[in-house]
Amino acid sequence: MTAAPGPLAIRLLRDLQRGPQFGITPNLIALVERAMIDVDDGPRRAILDLAGRRSDIARVLLDRVFPDVARLLDSGWQDDRLSFVDVTIAATRLQDAIRTLSRQSPAPRGAQSLTMIVPRWEQHGLPAAFAADQLRALGAPTSVLAGLSGPDLVRITSRAAPAGILISVASYRSVAQLPELIRTLRQEISKPIPIVVGGPAMALNAQECRRSGADLATNDIRQAAKFCDIQLSDGHLPARCPMGAGSDR
C-alpha cells in the first residue's frame, strides 16, 4: 500500500499540476528545495512520479525550477542558512532528479555522442548534470562519468569513442589538476578526441582553463558541440550557465 502524500508533497503537486505555463514563484522554488532536503523522501518521489507522467512538467523542472533551486542552495550555503549536510543531501538528490528526468529527452537515433567527465577530485556534480541535460535536449546523446579513476575513464571513454570529451571544473584548485588528467586521456586513448573544458571555474580562472592542455575552454555548449563536430538542434536554451553553476566556498 502506498502511503498518502504529506502536506509538503500535496502543496508541491498542487502547484506543479497547473501545467507548463504556471508561474515559477519563489514559494515553489523554496518548496522544491525543502523536498530535496527533507528527511522524508516522499515529496521528492512525488515530484519525480508526476514529472515521469508529464513530460511538459519534466521540462519545466529541468529548465526553470531546478536551476533556481541550485542557486537557492548555493546562496543558503554562502549565508549559513543551510549546513554542509543539508547542501550535500539536496545537491545529490537534485543531481539524481536531473539524471532521471533528462532521460525523457532521447536524442535522435544515429546521433554522435559526447562524454562529460566530472573529475574524481571535483566536489560539484550539478554543473555537469545541467549541461548534459541541455545537450541531450538539443539532440546530442551525452553520458556523465563522475568519480572515476584515470584508468576507468580511459577504458570507458575508449569503448564509447565519443565525438568529444567535455570536462566540468568548478574551482581554481580543480583547474590546477587538469593538465595531468588531460595528458592521461591523450596518451592512453588511441583515437584522437577533442577535449573541451568548462564549468564554474571559467568565471574566475578562464586563462588557467585555456592553459590546461584542452583543445577549447568555454561555457557555451553550442560552441563546444560545434568544435566536436556535432550539430545541435535549434531548440531554446534556458538562461543558465551552460557548463553549470556553483561556488567554491
Side-chain angles (χ1 to χ4, degrees):
M1 180 181 296
T2 302
L8 174 57
I10 290 173
R11 291 170 66 189
L12 277 166
L13 296 178
R14 180 195 63 199
D15 286 352
L16 287 172
Q17 290 184 92
R18 294 177 188 172
Q21 301 305 318
F22 64 80
I24 306 301
T25 65
N27 181 62
L28 176 61
I29 302 304
L31 285 174
V32 176
E33 182 197 54
R34 278 185 55 196
M36 296 298 164
I37 297 173
D38 208 288
V39 174
D40 176 13
D41 199 32
R44 186 184 72 92
R45 290 198 304 270
I47 293 173
L48 294 181
D49 180 66
L50 175 62
R53 292 181 280 108
R54 291 277 302 272
S55 60
D56 56 341
I57 290 178
R59 280 271 37 114
V60 168
L61 286 168
L62 289 165
D63 292 344
R64 300 171 61 191
V65 176
F66 289 166
D68 280 349
V69 172
R71 283 187 279 269
L72 189 60
L73 289 171
D74 184 59
S75 65
W77 169 244
Q78 297 294 337
D79 62 21
D80 291 321
R81 176 177 60 87
L82 299 175
S83 69
F84 176 78
V85 173
D86 289 335
V87 174
T88 300
I89 291 173
T92 300
R93 287 177 169 176
L94 189 59
Q95 188 172 330
D96 179 69
I98 296 167
R99 182 172 59 249
T100 299
L101 297 182
S102 182
R103 292 173 184 158
Q104 297 185 26
S105 303
R109 188 180 298 274
Q112 288 184 292
S113 68
L114 293 167
T115 293
M116 177 83 67
I117 291 177
V118 182
R120 65 187 308 176
W121 63 78
E122 183 59 72
Q123 297 180 6
H124 298 281
L126 276 175
F130 279 125
D133 169 64
Q134 287 187 347
L135 287 163
R136 294 182 194 119
L138 293 177
T142 304
S143 59
V144 178
L145 303 179
L148 299 179
S149 65
D152 284 339
L153 287 175
V154 168
R155 175 176 54 82
I156 295 172
T157 305
S158 295
R159 185 166 53 197
I165 297 171
L166 313 180
I167 304 177
S168 176
V169 286
S171 68
Y172 176 79
R173 290 194 299 271
S174 188
V175 174
Q177 300 183 69
L178 270 178
E180 182 177 355
L181 172 61
I182 292 173
R183 279 195 300 270
T184 297
L185 293 172
R186 292 201 192 282
Q187 292 171 1
E188 301 298 330
I189 297 176
S190 57
K191 174 188 173 183
I193 300 175
I195 297 176
V196 180
V197 168
M202 284 291 291
L204 297 176
N205 309 114
Q207 290 302 320
E208 289 80 0
C209 288
R210 295 187 182 101
R211 292 195 293 264
S212 65
D215 297 301
L216 176 68
T218 182
N219 266 355
D220 184 332
I221 65 169
R222 289 195 182 278
Q223 182 184 14
K226 182 177 181 180
F227 187 81
C228 297
D229 203 24
I230 286 185
Q231 181 66 44
L232 299 180
S233 70
D234 294 328
H236 171 69
L237 276 175
R240 66 183 183 220
C241 179
M243 297 290 266
S247 65
D248 184 50
R249 196 178 190 186

